[in-house]
Amino acid sequence: DAGVIQSPRHEVTEMGQEVTLRCKPISGHNSLFWYRQTMMRGLELLIYFNNNVPIDDSGMPEDRFSAKMPNASFSTLKIQPSEPRDSAVYFCASTLRTSSYNEQFFGPGTRLTVL
Amino acid sequence: AQKVTQAQTEISVVEKEDVTLDCVYETRDTTYYLFWYKQPPSGELVFLIRRNSFDEQNEISGRYSWNFQKSTSSFNFTITASQVVDSAVSFCALSEAKTSGSRLTFGEGTQLTVNP
């Protein structure tokens, strides 16, 4: 069974450009999470969805960030306009159902560099 | 508010040494879950273990073992006879049953380097 799929794996862009990160969760999983990992702040939850509905977006840094989940098999995280401080590794994770018990399965991450 | 602290930023050992990674957590919930994830140099996060707050039994999986002690709010991870392939960043994480939903709070991570 395929794991969580993220694309692109690496993205280099210039300040001010729009960036879109993509995620395909594990089939059958109904919760999806977006995390950001930086040296300064570690792993931070940005937003999570349950059954395609955003449940908690309190971690989204500011209005430049938006996330969507149009269906059970696809989600996007968009940054517009991007800034150098957005440089980080962005992980997508999914879990079978929303529960504090269930482990999350992580994708390989997208390493974003904003110049 | 929930919090996870991994005081050891970096640990360096020589192959075959035993090593323990510490994790201390804070929570007001009586039901919660603790996790360990590993992040090897390739970058992906790999789930290792889950423990619920009612189960204080130690867990052993091959060379890995976990010691959960509610009295000290700790959930430590020990690697016996370490190997170079154990070099990774390991994260401890906490999820509260009542307030978190599926939200995981991660510790800062401990970078383990096992030298040959």
Side-chain angles (χ1 to χ4, degrees):
Chain A
D1 188 20
V4 175
I5 299 171
Q6 290 187 248
S7 64
R9 294 293 307 277
H10 301 273
E11 177 82 25
V12 180
T13 190
E14 292 188 347
M15 184 173 64
Q17 296 297 306
E18 176 181 302
V19 174
T20 299
L21 311 181
R22 297 173 177 79
C23 175
K24 177 179 169 53
I26 292 173
S27 178
H29 283 192
N30 69 2
S31 294
L32 182 140
F33 306 80
W34 282 101
Y35 290 88
R36 178 172 67 176
Q37 185 179 32
T38 61
M39 289 293 292
M40 291 297 292
R41 300 173 68 90
L43 270 162
E44 306 173 274
L45 177 67
L46 300 177
I47 185 171
Y48 83 89
F49 296 84
N50 186 37
N51 292 323
N52 313 336
V53 176
I55 301 299
D56 183 352
D57 65 354
S58 58
M60 295 285 263
E62 48 198 272
D63 292 346
R64 297 184 299 106
F65 285 70
S66 62
K68 293 182 180 178
M69 192 165 185
N71 57 62
S73 59
F74 183 65
S75 176
T76 59
L77 178 67
K78 185 180 290 186
I79 308 172
Q80 178 185 24
S82 58
E83 296 182 3
R85 59 188 167 129
D86 302 330
S87 297
V89 180
Y90 290 82
F91 287 101
C92 176
S94 70
T95 190
L96 186 59
R97 65 182 68 86
T98 299
S99 164
S100 50
Y101 173 81
N102 291 316
E103 68 270 27
Q104 296 175 20
F105 295 86
F106 284 76
T110 296
R111 182 173 295 277
L112 173 65
T113 303
V114 183
L115 303 173
Chain B
Q2 55 187 1
K3 184 179 178 183
V4 177
T5 302
Q6 294 178 253
Q8 305 150 305
T9 305
E10 295 181 26
I11 301 176
S12 182
V13 299
V14 177
E15 212 170 15
K16 297 184 183 175
E17 283 186 35
D18 297 348
V19 58
T20 295
L21 282 59
D22 297 333
C23 171
V24 174
Y25 62 91
E26 295 175 27
T27 177
R28 282 179 249 175
D29 224 342
T30 55
T31 303
Y32 52 89
Y33 302 89
L34 295 161
F35 302 78
W36 275 94
Y37 285 81
K38 175 179 168 178
Q39 186 175 36
S42 52
E44 74 277 18
L45 279 150
V46 178
F47 166 75
L48 294 178
I49 191 172
R50 169 189 52 237
R51 175 65 72 223
N52 75 54
S53 53
F54 298 106
D55 182 1
E56 287 194 71
Q57 281 191 336
N58 290 340
E59 178 94 8
I60 297 175
S61 176
R63 296 183 297 104
Y64 294 175
S65 63
W66 291 268
N67 178 248
F68 174 37
Q69 291 193 342
K70 284 180 76 169
S71 60
T72 56
S73 297
S74 64
F75 185 42
N76 297 335
F77 174 24
T78 297
I79 302 174
T80 304
S82 59
Q83 299 177 2
V84 173
V85 293
D86 294 326
S87 297
V89 181
S90 291
F91 292 93
C92 182
L94 166 71
S95 180
E96 294 173 330
K98 285 183 184 174
T99 57
S100 293
S102 291
R103 173 186 284 273
L104 278 175
T105 296
F106 284 89
E108 304 89 339
T110 297
Q111 168 71 63
L112 172 65
T113 302
V114 182
N115 298 298

